[in-house]
Amino acid sequence: MREYKELRIAVAGTGYVGLSMATLLSQHHEVVAVDVIPEKVEKINNRISPIQDDYIEKFFAEKQLNLTATLDGASAYKNADFVVIAAPTNYDPVKNFFDTHHIEDVIDLVLSVNPEATMVIKSTIPVGYCRSLYVKYAQKFAQMESLVDGKRREFRLLFSPEFLRESKALYDNLHPAALS
C-alpha cells in the first residue's frame, strides 16, 4: 500500500453517503467516485452537486478537492488502495427484503481487477449480511491464486455503518458528535 498521503480511494455510489465520503476524503487523497448515471458523473466533474447538501455544495465551490467521477468502475478500482462501497440497497417492506446485489457487483468487480484493495461497505445492509458476505467471498478469494511475489494475499472486507441524515451527510461526517 502507498504512503498515507498518496492513498488512492474509489467510492462506489454518489448518493448521500458516497458523495459525502468522496468529498471529505478528496481533501487529502486522490478520490475517484463511480456511478452508473452519466448526468451525476458530469455534474461532479463540473463541481456541481447532484444531490441537495449545503456542505457538499460549499466544499465543491470553495475547497481544493482531488475528486473526479467516472462511469468506469474497473478503471477506478484497479489502482485503488481502498474502495468505499456506498451502493444502493433498496428495501422492500412488503417482502422484508434488502436488494444487496449492487454491493456484490462492486465486490466482484474489485476482486477481478484489484484483489489487494481494502473494501469498506458503507451501504445500509441487513443484520448478518456482513458475515454471510465474508464467508462467501473468503471462499472465493481462497480459490484465487493466493501468492503474489511470494507473499500471501489477504481478503480485506470491512463494514463501517453510516449514520447520516439526507441533506446533512457531509456535515454529519465532519461533526459526528452532532448526531448524538
Side-chain angles (χ1 to χ4, degrees):
M1 187 181 308
R2 285 176 271 278
E3 294 293 320
Y4 174 77
K5 291 188 179 225
E6 299 171 355
L7 290 179
R8 292 184 182 155
I9 302 166
V11 178
T14 62
Y16 285 101
V17 175
L19 190 56
S20 66
M21 293 300 300
T23 303
L24 181 67
L25 294 167
S26 69
Q27 293 179 96
H28 303 288
H29 304 288
E30 179 183 338
V31 177
V32 179
V34 179
D35 207 289
V36 297
I37 302 171
E39 295 80 15
K40 289 179 86 174
V41 168
E42 184 179 343
K43 282 184 174 188
I44 293 166
N45 286 332
N46 288 310
R47 292 299 183 264
I48 300 166
S49 179
I51 59 174
Q52 200 286 309
D53 185 300
D54 293 341
Y55 267 70
I56 290 174
E57 292 168 16
K58 182 178 173 71
F59 272 53
F60 273 19
E62 299 174 4
K63 300 275 186 182
Q64 186 75 353
L65 304 175
N66 190 356
L67 173 63
T68 57
T70 184
L71 297 167
D72 185 358
S75 67
Y77 308 144
K78 185 175 179 70
N79 294 312
D81 298 297
F82 291 90
V83 177
V84 177
I85 303 172
T89 53
N90 301 317
Y91 177 69
D92 183 339
V94 174
K95 295 179 182 176
N96 191 27
F97 174 78
F98 277 93
D99 179 2
T100 56
H101 84 275
H102 296 297
I103 294 171
E104 294 177 44
D105 291 348
V106 173
I107 294 170
D108 288 337
L109 185 54
V110 172
L111 288 178
S112 74
V113 298
N114 185 2
E116 298 294 311
T118 298
M119 295 172 279
V120 182
I121 298 173
K122 293 292 287 184
S123 299
T124 303
I125 58 173
V127 174
Y129 180 68
C130 278
R131 185 181 191 301
S132 68
L133 260 187
Y134 194 82
V135 168
K136 173 184 175 179
Y137 283 99
Q139 289 172 349
K140 261 189 183 180
F141 194 81
Q143 293 170 357
M144 296 169 61
E145 186 174 325
S146 61
L147 292 178
V148 176
D149 297 328
K151 295 179 183 177
R152 185 156 307 281
R153 290 188 197 189
E154 295 178 5
F155 178 62
R156 298 182 183 113
L157 179 65
L158 308 170
F159 175 63
S160 175
E162 56 87 8
F163 300 100
L164 307 174
R165 300 170 291 172
E166 285 189 12
S167 301
K168 300 284 185 201
L170 184 54
Y171 179 87
D172 291 344
N173 271 311
L174 291 166
H175 308 282
L179 292 170
S180 54

